[in-house]
Amino acid sequence: MPSRKKSKEYENRVQQAKAVLSLISEDRTTPRNIRRAAKEASEMLELPEQSQAVRAAQAINILDDISQDPNMPPYSRTRIWNIVSLLEVIKE
């Protein structure tokens, strides 16, 4: 189990990721399927019955799948890569 300090850092990273995912999911210039995936990844990060590492891994999986979409605007893809980088640090 991560220490209290690590847990706080992880929670901080999750909050940052959720903020950017919210921007993507509300951006009307981004295709609907990408906005939907961003919202789903954000919801995945909020599941209380799972550990932070499991939630982060599930969100990363969703974002990895959608990052390959050819219709994604370049700025959204960059944001998603940044989110994945934030979340990859979280582990048990």
Side-chain angles (χ1 to χ4, degrees), residues 2 5 8 12 16 20 24 26-29 31 35-36 42 49-50 54 65 71-72 80 84 90:
K5 186 176 179 182
K8 185 72 174 166
N12 216 5
Q16 290 174 9
V20 178
I24 294 170
E26 295 169 4
D27 183 359
R28 297 292 174 210
T29 62
R35 292 194 320 249
R36 192 177 315 124
S42 181
E49 64 271 1
Q50 295 175 340
V54 171
D65 289 345
N71 295 322
M72 182 179 297
I80 286 180
V84 169
I90 300 174

Side-chain angles (χ1 to χ4, degrees), residues 2 6-17 45 51-60 83-92:
K6 284 282 187 196
S7 183
K8 185 72 174 166
E9 176 191 337
Y10 292 169
E11 190 57 40
N12 216 5
R13 288 176 172 273
V14 167
Q15 292 305 319
Q16 290 174 9
L45 291 171
S51 71
Q52 288 176 323
V54 171
R55 291 182 288 181
Q58 290 174 332
I60 288 170
I83 295 166
V84 169
S85 295
L86 271 174
L87 296 177
E88 282 180 336
V89 174
I90 300 174
K91 49 189 155 201
E92 305 241 24

Side-chain angles (χ1 to χ4, degrees), residues 57-75:
Q58 290 174 332
I60 288 170
N61 190 28
I62 292 167
L63 296 174
D64 276 343
D65 289 345
I66 202 68
S67 71
Q68 305 305 316
D69 190 316
N71 295 322
M72 182 179 297
Y75 57 88

